[in-house]
Amino acid sequence: MQIVIFDHEQQVADTAAQWIETLVNNKKSPILGLATGSTPIKLYQQLIRRYQEKKLTFKSTTSFNLDEYLGIDATNSQSYRHFMNENLFNHIDIDNTHTYLPTCAQGQNPREQGLAYEEKIKQLGGIDLQILGIGANGHIGFNEPTSSLASRTRIKTLSQQTLADNSRLFNNNEFQPTLAMTMGIATILDARYVLLMATGENKAKAVKDMITGPLSAICPASALQMHENAIILLDKTAASQLPDQEYYQWANAQNIKINQAFGLYHNY
Ligand code: PGA
């Protein structure tokens, strides 16, 4: 794991945007894994700005989102399709038919839908860079605690903590879905790079468990310990429970020197 701690959350977003810019500018048909939630909003704003400044184009990019609610359709303003359109896709030049979310409409077989999503990712060559947030309970995507570390795209029942955490986004009397279709943990681990962003004090315990805790289904994000190219971008509040912070800062300074000497290495 490469752990980078910043003073401000804007630096987390800017660094993540730089990773995406490097991918999009260096690969002919880049495949991005995208996330919803509060954390990536600043990243998406930064990508829109860089697109407007003509630093990058998404014309040949394909994207796969981590998850989507069940029981509401794409036109619902609470759907993750709506979130992605509003916060990113409508403001850049990505081909909307090349943006995928794992969906399962009423009457569709969730097993077939999950399998089809996995197949589509594989058929297009696999995800180059997967963007992730982390739940206060350690979830990635909607892989809630006790999710199989070998899981693939499927339906998950949201935990009480996730429902409570996300209830802030729903009005009184508005339907809050309790089920979602989500990439599995094994799906996420298949990405060539994973980049997890966490900001804010309420993520500090999950971040500590992810990085220093045992590899355990109780903290699904701890599965990233098994990934060859996991980059963890934190602001200092999200990093506040981490031991050895000076070591991470020092190790990053060494990485910067190596990159300056030998060039940035991306195995996309
Ligand atoms: P948040 O959600 O970015 O809204 O905190 C992250 C997550 O639940 O994965």
Side-chain angles (χ1 to χ4, degrees):
M1 277 180 169
Q2 185 187 339
I3 297 149
V4 194
I5 303 166
F6 297 98
D7 285 338
H8 305 290
E9 61 179 314
Q10 188 60 47
Q11 294 168 293
V12 172
D14 292 349
T15 306
Q18 191 54 49
W19 274 85
I20 291 181
E21 185 179 317
T22 304
L23 167 66
V24 168
N25 286 339
N26 283 287
K27 190 153 187 186
K28 206 165 152 228
S29 303
I31 314 279
L32 273 179
L34 296 176
T36 50
S38 316
T39 312
I41 288 179
K42 281 196 163 58
L43 161 64
Y44 296 153
Q45 288 168 347
Q46 183 57 224
L47 290 178
I48 293 165
R49 190 164 319 131
R50 288 171 188 227
Y51 162 71
Q52 287 167 344
E53 290 167 358
K54 301 198 184 336
K55 287 186 176 149
L56 74 173
T57 167
F58 294 92
K59 270 200 178 107
S60 55
T61 297
T62 298
S63 69
F64 288 93
N65 262 76
L66 284 167
D67 42 24
E68 176 59 287
Y69 283 128
L70 256 66
I72 55 177
D73 65 24
T75 60
N76 188 305
S77 63
Q78 293 288 359
S79 74
Y80 284 167
R81 162 59 73 185
H82 185 268
F83 175 99
M84 290 309 300
N85 287 347
E86 289 292 308
N87 287 290
L88 184 64
F89 299 152
N90 288 350
H91 310 284
I92 58 174
D93 62 349
I94 198 164
D95 178 343
N96 227 28
T97 64
H98 294 165
T99 63
Y100 298 94
L101 285 90
T103 56
C104 188
Q106 187 137 27
Q108 283 184 320
N109 180 333
R111 283 204 189 87
E112 285 171 10
Q113 291 296 110
L115 211 57
Y117 201 64
E118 296 279 333
E119 279 305 310
K120 190 79 196 166
I121 294 171
K122 240 188 247 160
Q123 182 202 329
L124 294 177
I127 292 171
D128 292 309
L129 175 61
Q130 175 67 55
I131 300 297
L132 295 171
I134 184 171
N137 64 0
H139 73 200
I140 45 176
F142 272 136
N143 294 288
E144 299 287 31
T146 71
S147 285
S148 161
L149 300 182
S151 51
R152 294 277 165 188
T153 305
R154 71 216 183 287
I155 289 180
K156 279 299 289 183
T157 304
L158 306 190
S159 70
Q160 286 305 318
Q161 184 173 357
T162 295
L163 290 171
D165 286 347
N166 288 353
S167 63
R168 72 188 193 280
L169 305 167
F170 291 82
N171 297 322
N172 286 345
N173 304 326
E174 194 175 23
F175 171 65
Q176 181 179 4
T178 55
L179 298 174
M181 194 81 174
T182 181
M183 279 186 199
I185 294 174
T187 324
I188 292 169
L189 293 179
D190 278 349
R192 289 179 191 90
Y193 283 79
V194 294
L195 193 158
L196 184 144
M197 297 182 291
T199 56
E201 180 80 48
N202 65 326
K203 301 293 174 68
K205 165 96 172 46
V207 164
K208 174 173 173 276
D209 290 347
M210 164 177 69
I211 294 171
T212 68
L215 173 64
S216 164
I218 281 293
C219 178
S222 67
L224 300 186
Q225 293 173 20
M226 296 294 290
H227 198 285
E228 195 184 355
N229 298 306
I231 302 114
I232 314 294
L233 305 180
L234 306 171
D235 74 355
K236 59 184 176 196
T237 58
S240 57
Q241 291 190 26
L242 271 185
D244 294 332
Q245 291 191 29
E246 276 166 26
Y247 169 72
Y248 303 131
Q249 308 282 22
W250 186 75
N252 279 308
Q254 307 315 307
N255 279 338
I256 290 168
K257 277 189 206 157
I258 293 169
N259 291 339
Q260 280 166 349
F262 299 103
L264 257 187
Y265 175 69
H266 290 300
N267 189 21
Y268 289 135

